[in-house]
Amino acid sequence: MPTQIEARFAHESIRPRIASRVLNSKEELLSGRYAPEIRALLEERGVLVFPEIHFTDEEQAAFTRTLGTLAKERDGEDVFLVTLDDKKNKTGSEYLKGSLYWHIDGTMNPVPILASLLASKKLATWGGNTGFSNTYAAWNDLPEDRKVELEGLRVLHAAWASLFYYDPEPALEKLKFMRMAGEQELPLVWKHRSGRKSLVLGATAQHVVGVDAGRSAEILVGLREWATRDDFTYSHEWKVGDLVMWDNTGTMHRAEPYDPACARMLHRTKLQGEEPFV
Ligand code: OGA
Ligand code: MN
C-alpha cells in the first residue's frame, strides 16, 4: 500500500505569550485549507510569521482573501507600499512617522481592521524590526484590583495626538491637518464577542475621559509600559520574503527606528474588520 503523507497545519511558538511561526508551504497556504486554523491561531497568538514564504503581490492578496474580506486601499488597490520613499508611498512618508510608536491601526474607525499582513521586499540598512505587543495577555495579567479600577474607563483617541510624538513643536497648519483625521472615544478595555478582553492603547490615546490631565497621563503611560514589557512583546527581525500577520484587535505594533534614507520596503494587505470597539 502506498504511504499517505497526511497534510497538516504545522506551527510552532516563538515566544510564550506572543507569536507563532507557520511552517506550511505556499501551495498549502494558498489552497485555503487551513484558513479556519490560521484565523484561530492568529487570535490566540496575536502574531503569525510565515518565514521566507516569498509571496508575489497577487499571492499575498489571494492568501489574504482565504482568511476573510480583503480591505482595499483608498485608491482601490489591494496592496499598499510601506516605505519612506515618497515616490512610492501614496499617503506620503509623514503618516509613517507615527508608526514608529506603539499603536493600533484604525483607532479613528468604529470597526478597525481585523488584521494586517506585511511582506518584506527590501530590508533597512540598519534597524527596522517590527515590534508587537499582546494586549490580551497584558490585560489578562493585570492584578484583579487594577482591573476593577480600569474597567469602564473611556479614552479619547485622536490622530493628532500621535503628531506630538515625532513633531513636538508642529506648525499650526500641520496640527489642523491632523485634526481632520478625526477623534473617537473608545473603551480602555475592549470586550470582544469571544468573551476575551484586550487593552486599547497606543499613540492615538490622547486622554482618559473625565480624569485630570496628570492622572490620565499616568494611567496611559503606565499601561503602555506594562503592555510593552518583555513578556508580552515580540520584535520581528525581517528577512526578505517573510510575511508577518497580526491581529490588530488584540495587539499593538510599531516600526523600530531605521535609516530614514534607506529603501526599506514592506507590502501590506489588510483584512476588513468584523467587530466594533465595545
Ligand atoms: C503598518 C505599520 C510597521 C512597520 O504598516 O501599519 O505600522 O514596521 N508598519 O513598518
Ligand atoms: Mn500600523
Side-chain angles (χ1 to χ4, degrees), residues 148-184:
V148 172
E149 282 168 17
L150 297 172
E151 207 148 20
L153 291 182
R154 299 192 53 89
V155 176
L156 184 81
H157 283 255
W160 61 263
S162 65
L163 168 65
F164 289 92
Y165 281 76
Y166 57 88
D167 189 357
E169 293 181 344
L172 180 58
E173 276 315 307
K174 202 158 162 187
L175 176 63
K176 286 183 173 173
F177 176 76
M178 290 299 280
R179 287 209 350 117
M180 291 193 306
E183 297 186 348
Q184 177 167 239

Side-chain angles (χ1 to χ4, degrees), residues 17 102 133-143 146-147 150 199 201 218-233 252:
R17 306 302 303 280
W102 290 108
S133 142
N134 186 338
T135 55
Y136 279 119
W139 167 258
N140 188 69
D141 287 15
L142 281 170
R146 187 87 181 107
K147 286 185 181 172
L150 297 172
L199 287 164
L201 300 168
E218 279 188 13
I219 294 170
L220 294 173
V221 168
L223 286 174
R224 193 255 303 131
E225 181 178 64
W226 169 257
T228 59
R229 50 191 275 159
D230 185 62
D231 320 7
F232 305 132
T233 56
M252 286 193 285

Side-chain angles (χ1 to χ4, degrees), residues 9 29-42 48 50 55 59-70 114-117 243 245-246 269-272 274:
F9 182 43
L29 296 174
L30 288 172
S31 76
R33 196 186 308 160
Y34 301 117
E37 287 92 336
I38 293 171
R39 283 279 305 248
L41 192 67
L42 178 69
L48 299 182
F50 303 81
F55 278 147
E59 287 168 340
Q60 183 176 341
F63 175 60
T64 305
R65 287 193 170 92
T66 67
L67 301 169
T69 305
L70 183 145
L114 170 66
S116 272
L117 298 87
L243 179 81
M245 167 164 51
W246 69 88
T269 51
K270 296 179 303 205
L271 276 171
Q272 199 171 290
E274 299 175 359

